Amino acid sequence: MAYTRGNLAVKPKTQERVTQQRYKETTKVVTRRTGLPAREKFLYLLTLMAVIVVGGLLMSRYAHIYDLNKQAQSTIAEVKEDQKAIADLQVEKERLNNQVVENAKALGYVEASDKDVIFVPRTTTTNTSTGAESSSNAASSK
């Protein structure tokens, strides 16, 4: 008996067994796809259309929201620009108000004191009374 790698329990090989190869008979299953029924096709088409409509509605709403945000941002920018212009104009107004007294003194005007009384005579115009008469005459002639 042969000694194989320290194991005596190995069965000695007597002869290589020559086995005949057996052919295995296999069958192949062929499945054919049949066309979808008309109702199922219609159902798929309706589902697809519903998904497209809902997606279109969502996209249009998002586009509208985007447009509103863009308008709001442009309005805010315009308001900021207008506020800057208002601030500049207020500074200009204050500067001009301060120059009024200086320009008046340069032109020779004098500031009125509390004791000075300025009298401005009233004049009545007769044009308003004749205008009222002519409008009443025109109304009575109709």
Side-chain angles (χ1 to χ4, degrees):
M1 224 180 277
Y3 180 75
T4 309
R5 294 187 192 172
N7 191 353
L8 295 175
V10 176
K11 186 175 186 180
K13 294 181 183 179
T14 56
Q15 287 181 351
E16 297 255 344
R17 293 185 186 174
V18 178
T19 58
Q20 293 179 348
Q21 288 187 355
R22 296 181 186 165
Y23 292 101
K24 188 174 182 182
E25 191 173 317
T26 59
T27 58
K28 187 175 183 181
V29 178
V30 178
T31 57
R32 291 187 182 178
R33 289 191 166 209
T34 59
L36 294 174
R39 281 186 169 179
E40 197 169 350
K41 286 180 185 178
F42 188 67
L43 178 67
Y44 288 151
L45 181 65
L46 285 179
T47 305
L48 182 64
M49 293 299 286
V51 168
I52 289 172
V53 167
V54 169
L57 288 174
L58 288 175
M59 286 174 46
S60 68
R61 294 298 298 163
Y62 278 109
H64 183 67
I65 290 170
Y66 174 77
D67 186 43
L68 289 176
N69 284 336
K70 188 175 179 181
Q71 289 176 1
Q73 288 176 355
S74 65
T75 305
I76 289 170
E78 288 175 7
V79 167
K80 286 182 181 180
E81 289 175 7
D82 291 343
Q83 286 175 344
K84 288 178 184 177
I86 288 171
D88 292 340
L89 290 174
Q90 285 177 345
V91 168
E92 183 70 17
K93 177 185 166 188
E94 290 295 324
R95 187 182 62 80
L96 290 175
N97 281 340
N98 292 336
Q99 285 181 355
V100 167
V101 176
E102 295 171 6
N103 289 339
K105 285 181 183 178
L107 292 173
Y109 291 104
V110 183
E111 260 187 78
S113 63
D114 292 334
K115 296 178 184 177
D116 295 338
V117 177
I118 300 173
F119 177 72
V120 179
R122 278 191 170 185
T123 59
T124 59
T125 58
T126 58
N127 292 343
T128 56
S129 63
T130 58
E133 291 173 356
S134 64
S135 64
S136 64
N137 288 338
S140 63
S141 65
K142 287 184 181 178

